[in-house]
Amino acid sequence: GAVVSQHPSRVICKSGTSVKIECRSLDFQATTMFWYRQFPKKSLMLMATSNEGSKATYEQGVEKDKFLINHASLTLSTLTVTSAHPEDSSFYICSARDAASGGETQYFGPGTRLLVL
Amino acid sequence: GQNIDQPTEMTATEGAIVQINCTYQTSGFNGLFWYQQHAGEAPTFLSYNVLDGLEEKGRFSSFLSRSKGYSYLLLKELQMKDSASYLCAVRAPNDYKLSFGAGTTVTVRA
C-alpha cells in the first residue's frame, strides 16, 4: 500500500516556541492531505484539509494562525504549531489521498507526538 | 452534523469471532471506512464500503446498510495481535473528509 511518513515522530519543546511537523507521501502524489489531532483514548479530530498550491481549509474551532499549514508540493505538507502551549500537547497525524488511484483511501502517517513543557 | 456511534470496548477470546457495530447519522455519505489503530500508532486501513453488502478480506469482513445507517466489522479467528482500537469513519461527499467514531477497543484474551 501507499506510504506516508511524518517527521519528527516525537518532539518536546518549551512553551512559546514553534514546532514544524512534516508529512510526506513517499510513493504517490497527494493533491490533498489532512491533519488530525488525537488526545489519549479519543478518536481522531480533523483539524484542516491541506490542498496543494492553495490555502488550507480549517475545521470549525481550529485557529488558522495557530496551526499554519503549507502544502508546497504534491508530496509534502507541513503543519507548524506556533507559540505552542501545554494544551497543544497531543498526537498529530496526517493522512494523504492518492488521487491517481481514484483517491478512495486515505493513508495515514505514523504520527507525531508533541509534548509542550 | 456528524454522529457516529460504536461501542467503547469489547473483549473476546483468542480464536473467537467479534463483531463491532457502527451506526451513523451524517449530513452526507460517500463511503464508510474501518481502520485499525494500535496504541501510539497511526491508523491502518482495513476496509471500505460504499455499496450495501458484505466485503470479505481474509479474517476481516465489513458490512454496510445505507438505509439503516449501519455497518459492522467482523473479525474472525481472533489473534492476540488483533488487540487494538477499531475506528469507524464516514466520508463526506465531494471533499473526501472523514469523520471518525470514538473507536472500539478490542482486547483479545488467551
PDB file of all heavy atoms in Angstrom, chain A residues 91-110:
ATOM      1  N   PHE A  91      -1.220  14.065  19.931  1.00  0.00           N
ATOM      2  CA  PHE A  91      -0.711  13.211  18.861  1.00  0.00           C
ATOM      3  C   PHE A  91      -1.257  13.783  17.566  1.00  0.00           C
ATOM      4  O   PHE A  91      -2.472  13.846  17.385  1.00  0.00           O
ATOM      5  CB  PHE A  91      -1.200  11.776  19.104  1.00  0.00           C
ATOM      6  CG  PHE A  91      -0.538  10.719  18.268  1.00  0.00           C
ATOM      7  CD1 PHE A  91       0.827  10.671  18.112  1.00  0.00           C
ATOM      8  CD2 PHE A  91      -1.303   9.730  17.658  1.00  0.00           C
ATOM      9  CE1 PHE A  91       1.439   9.680  17.361  1.00  0.00           C
ATOM     10  CE2 PHE A  91      -0.698   8.720  16.900  1.00  0.00           C
ATOM     11  CZ  PHE A  91       0.674   8.696  16.755  1.00  0.00           C
ATOM     12  N   TYR A  92      -0.364  14.224  16.689  1.00  0.00           N
ATOM     13  CA  TYR A  92      -0.782  14.831  15.430  1.00  0.00           C
ATOM     14  C   TYR A  92      -0.526  13.818  14.303  1.00  0.00           C
ATOM     15  O   TYR A  92       0.582  13.290  14.166  1.00  0.00           O
ATOM     16  CB  TYR A  92      -0.008  16.119  15.160  1.00  0.00           C
ATOM     17  CG  TYR A  92      -0.390  17.222  16.122  1.00  0.00           C
ATOM     18  CD1 TYR A  92       0.248  17.338  17.353  1.00  0.00           C
ATOM     19  CD2 TYR A  92      -1.407  18.120  15.815  1.00  0.00           C
ATOM     20  CE1 TYR A  92      -0.114  18.334  18.248  1.00  0.00           C
ATOM     21  CE2 TYR A  92      -1.774  19.127  16.698  1.00  0.00           C
ATOM     22  CZ  TYR A  92      -1.128  19.208  17.921  1.00  0.00           C
ATOM     23  OH  TYR A  92      -1.504  20.194  18.811  1.00  0.00           O
ATOM     24  N   ILE A  93      -1.556  13.576  13.528  1.00  0.00           N
ATOM     25  CA  ILE A  93      -1.464  12.574  12.456  1.00  0.00           C
ATOM     26  C   ILE A  93      -1.891  13.212  11.142  1.00  0.00           C
ATOM     27  O   ILE A  93      -2.896  13.928  11.095  1.00  0.00           O
ATOM     28  CB  ILE A  93      -2.379  11.362  12.732  1.00  0.00           C
ATOM     29  CG1 ILE A  93      -2.120  10.777  14.113  1.00  0.00           C
ATOM     30  CG2 ILE A  93      -2.182  10.293  11.671  1.00  0.00           C
ATOM     31  CD1 ILE A  93      -3.076   9.651  14.467  1.00  0.00           C
ATOM     32  N   CYS A  94      -1.129  12.926  10.096  1.00  0.00           N
ATOM     33  CA  CYS A  94      -1.542  13.391   8.777  1.00  0.00           C
ATOM     34  C   CYS A  94      -2.006  12.194   7.956  1.00  0.00           C
ATOM     35  O   CYS A  94      -1.670  11.046   8.258  1.00  0.00           O
ATOM     36  CB  CYS A  94      -0.412  14.108   8.061  1.00  0.00           C
ATOM     37  SG  CYS A  94       0.916  13.028   7.492  1.00  0.00           S
ATOM     38  N   SER A  95      -2.788  12.482   6.962  1.00  0.00           N
ATOM     39  CA  SER A  95      -3.153  11.450   6.003  1.00  0.00           C
ATOM     40  C   SER A  95      -3.103  12.059   4.613  1.00  0.00           C
ATOM     41  O   SER A  95      -3.173  13.285   4.454  1.00  0.00           O
ATOM     42  CB  SER A  95      -4.544  10.874   6.278  1.00  0.00           C
ATOM     43  OG  SER A  95      -5.540  11.817   5.973  1.00  0.00           O
ATOM     44  N   ALA A  96      -2.948  11.201   3.633  1.00  0.00           N
ATOM     45  CA  ALA A  96      -2.845  11.668   2.259  1.00  0.00           C
ATOM     46  C   ALA A  96      -3.751  10.840   1.367  1.00  0.00           C
ATOM     47  O   ALA A  96      -3.904   9.633   1.563  1.00  0.00           O
ATOM     48  CB  ALA A  96      -1.399  11.580   1.781  1.00  0.00           C
ATOM     49  N   ARG A  97      -4.317  11.523   0.422  1.00  0.00           N
ATOM     50  CA  ARG A  97      -5.215  10.855  -0.519  1.00  0.00           C
ATOM     51  C   ARG A  97      -4.469  10.644  -1.826  1.00  0.00           C
ATOM     52  O   ARG A  97      -3.915  11.570  -2.379  1.00  0.00           O
ATOM     53  CB  ARG A  97      -6.451  11.727  -0.734  1.00  0.00           C
ATOM     54  CG  ARG A  97      -7.415  11.245  -1.768  1.00  0.00           C
ATOM     55  CD  ARG A  97      -8.620  12.167  -1.867  1.00  0.00           C
ATOM     56  NE  ARG A  97      -9.226  11.989  -3.162  1.00  0.00           N
ATOM     57  CZ  ARG A  97      -9.171  12.877  -4.152  1.00  0.00           C
ATOM     58  NH1 ARG A  97      -8.558  14.007  -3.958  1.00  0.00           N
ATOM     59  NH2 ARG A  97      -9.728  12.621  -5.307  1.00  0.00           N
ATOM     60  N   ASP A  98      -4.473   9.385  -2.289  1.00  0.00           N
ATOM     61  CA  ASP A  98      -3.807   9.050  -3.530  1.00  0.00           C
ATOM     62  C   ASP A  98      -4.767   9.324  -4.683  1.00  0.00           C
ATOM     63  O   ASP A  98      -5.601   8.490  -5.021  1.00  0.00           O
ATOM     64  CB  ASP A  98      -3.374   7.575  -3.509  1.00  0.00           C
ATOM     65  CG  ASP A  98      -2.600   7.169  -4.753  1.00  0.00           C
ATOM     66  OD1 ASP A  98      -2.458   7.995  -5.676  1.00  0.00           O
ATOM     67  OD2 ASP A  98      -2.141   6.016  -4.794  1.00  0.00           O
ATOM     68  N   ALA A  99      -4.627  10.499  -5.278  1.00  0.00           N
ATOM     69  CA  ALA A  99      -5.581  10.914  -6.314  1.00  0.00           C
ATOM     70  C   ALA A  99      -5.505  10.022  -7.546  1.00  0.00           C
ATOM     71  O   ALA A  99      -6.509   9.742  -8.201  1.00  0.00           O
ATOM     72  CB  ALA A  99      -5.317  12.366  -6.700  1.00  0.00           C
ATOM     73  N   ALA A 100      -4.315   9.515  -7.862  1.00  0.00           N
ATOM     74  CA  ALA A 100      -4.142   8.739  -9.089  1.00  0.00           C
ATOM     75  C   ALA A 100      -4.893   7.424  -9.042  1.00  0.00           C
ATOM     76  O   ALA A 100      -5.324   6.905 -10.070  1.00  0.00           O
ATOM     77  CB  ALA A 100      -2.658   8.476  -9.340  1.00  0.00           C
ATOM     78  N   SER A 101      -5.059   6.893  -7.861  1.00  0.00           N
ATOM     79  CA  SER A 101      -5.746   5.599  -7.737  1.00  0.00           C
ATOM     80  C   SER A 101      -7.243   5.770  -7.598  1.00  0.00           C
ATOM     81  O   SER A 101      -7.959   4.821  -7.335  1.00  0.00           O
ATOM     82  CB  SER A 101      -5.206   4.835  -6.526  1.00  0.00           C
ATOM     83  OG  SER A 101      -5.625   5.464  -5.329  1.00  0.00           O
ATOM     84  N   GLY A 102      -7.712   6.962  -7.742  1.00  0.00           N
ATOM     85  CA  GLY A 102      -9.127   7.231  -7.561  1.00  0.00           C
ATOM     86  C   GLY A 102      -9.409   7.883  -6.227  1.00  0.00           C
ATOM     87  O   GLY A 102     -10.505   8.359  -5.975  1.00  0.00           O
ATOM     88  N   GLY A 103      -8.386   7.877  -5.355  1.00  0.00           N
ATOM     89  CA  GLY A 103      -8.495   8.620  -4.106  1.00  0.00           C
ATOM     90  C   GLY A 103      -9.500   8.099  -3.119  1.00  0.00           C
ATOM     91  O   GLY A 103      -9.990   8.839  -2.283  1.00  0.00           O
ATOM     92  N   GLU A 104      -9.820   6.787  -3.183  1.00  0.00           N
ATOM     93  CA  GLU A 104     -10.840   6.279  -2.280  1.00  0.00           C
ATOM     94  C   GLU A 104     -10.324   6.141  -0.853  1.00  0.00           C
ATOM     95  O   GLU A 104     -11.093   6.177   0.095  1.00  0.00           O
ATOM     96  CB  GLU A 104     -11.347   4.915  -2.769  1.00  0.00           C
ATOM     97  CG  GLU A 104     -11.974   4.924  -4.154  1.00  0.00           C
ATOM     98  CD  GLU A 104     -13.198   5.812  -4.243  1.00  0.00           C
ATOM     99  OE1 GLU A 104     -13.758   6.189  -3.196  1.00  0.00           O
ATOM    100  OE2 GLU A 104     -13.592   6.152  -5.372  1.00  0.00           O
ATOM    101  N   THR A 105      -9.041   5.948  -0.734  1.00  0.00           N
ATOM    102  CA  THR A 105      -8.486   5.634   0.578  1.00  0.00           C
ATOM    103  C   THR A 105      -7.528   6.718   1.028  1.00  0.00           C
ATOM    104  O   THR A 105      -6.742   7.232   0.247  1.00  0.00           O
ATOM    105  CB  THR A 105      -7.742   4.289   0.521  1.00  0.00           C
ATOM    106  OG1 THR A 105      -8.641   3.280   0.066  1.00  0.00           O
ATOM    107  CG2 THR A 105      -7.204   3.902   1.892  1.00  0.00           C
ATOM    108  N   GLN A 106      -7.600   7.041   2.313  1.00  0.00           N
ATOM    109  CA  GLN A 106      -6.608   7.916   2.909  1.00  0.00           C
ATOM    110  C   GLN A 106      -5.592   7.056   3.612  1.00  0.00           C
ATOM    111  O   GLN A 106      -5.948   6.131   4.349  1.00  0.00           O
ATOM    112  CB  GLN A 106      -7.264   8.856   3.937  1.00  0.00           C
ATOM    113  CG  GLN A 106      -8.097   9.961   3.336  1.00  0.00           C
ATOM    114  CD  GLN A 106      -8.619  10.904   4.389  1.00  0.00           C
ATOM    115  OE1 GLN A 106      -7.990  11.117   5.423  1.00  0.00           O
ATOM    116  NE2 GLN A 106      -9.785  11.475   4.132  1.00  0.00           N
ATOM    117  N   TYR A 107      -4.330   7.348   3.391  1.00  0.00           N
ATOM    118  CA  TYR A 107      -3.245   6.625   4.048  1.00  0.00           C
ATOM    119  C   TYR A 107      -2.649   7.535   5.123  1.00  0.00           C
ATOM    120  O   TYR A 107      -2.356   8.693   4.865  1.00  0.00           O
ATOM    121  CB  TYR A 107      -2.189   6.219   3.026  1.00  0.00           C
ATOM    122  CG  TYR A 107      -2.733   5.265   1.988  1.00  0.00           C
ATOM    123  CD1 TYR A 107      -3.206   5.733   0.770  1.00  0.00           C
ATOM    124  CD2 TYR A 107      -2.802   3.897   2.251  1.00  0.00           C
ATOM    125  CE1 TYR A 107      -3.730   4.865  -0.171  1.00  0.00           C
ATOM    126  CE2 TYR A 107      -3.322   3.026   1.304  1.00  0.00           C
ATOM    127  CZ  TYR A 107      -3.789   3.515   0.096  1.00  0.00           C
ATOM    128  OH  TYR A 107      -4.317   2.656  -0.823  1.00  0.00           O
ATOM    129  N   PHE A 108      -2.489   6.961   6.300  1.00  0.00           N
ATOM    130  CA  PHE A 108      -2.055   7.751   7.440  1.00  0.00           C
ATOM    131  C   PHE A 108      -0.558   7.653   7.656  1.00  0.00           C
ATOM    132  O   PHE A 108       0.059   6.612   7.461  1.00  0.00           O
ATOM    133  CB  PHE A 108      -2.787   7.295   8.707  1.00  0.00           C
ATOM    134  CG  PHE A 108      -4.213   7.762   8.756  1.00  0.00           C
ATOM    135  CD1 PHE A 108      -5.204   7.047   8.109  1.00  0.00           C
ATOM    136  CD2 PHE A 108      -4.559   8.912   9.434  1.00  0.00           C
ATOM    137  CE1 PHE A 108      -6.521   7.478   8.128  1.00  0.00           C
ATOM    138  CE2 PHE A 108      -5.880   9.346   9.468  1.00  0.00           C
ATOM    139  CZ  PHE A 108      -6.857   8.629   8.810  1.00  0.00           C
ATOM    140  N   GLY A 109       0.009   8.763   8.110  1.00  0.00           N
ATOM    141  CA  GLY A 109       1.386   8.752   8.561  1.00  0.00           C
ATOM    142  C   GLY A 109       1.469   8.136   9.944  1.00  0.00           C
ATOM    143  O   GLY A 109       0.442   7.881  10.584  1.00  0.00           O
ATOM    144  N   PRO A 110       2.687   7.908  10.430  1.00  0.00           N
ATOM    145  CA  PRO A 110       2.873   7.255  11.728  1.00  0.00           C
ATOM    146  C   PRO A 110       2.599   8.155  12.920  1.00  0.00           C
ATOM    147  O   PRO A 110       2.624   7.697  14.057  1.00  0.00           O
ATOM    148  CB  PRO A 110       4.342   6.818  11.691  1.00  0.00           C
ATOM    149  CG  PRO A 110       4.981   7.780  10.763  1.00  0.00           C
ATOM    150  CD  PRO A 110       3.956   8.131   9.740  1.00  0.00           C
TER     151      PRO A 110
END
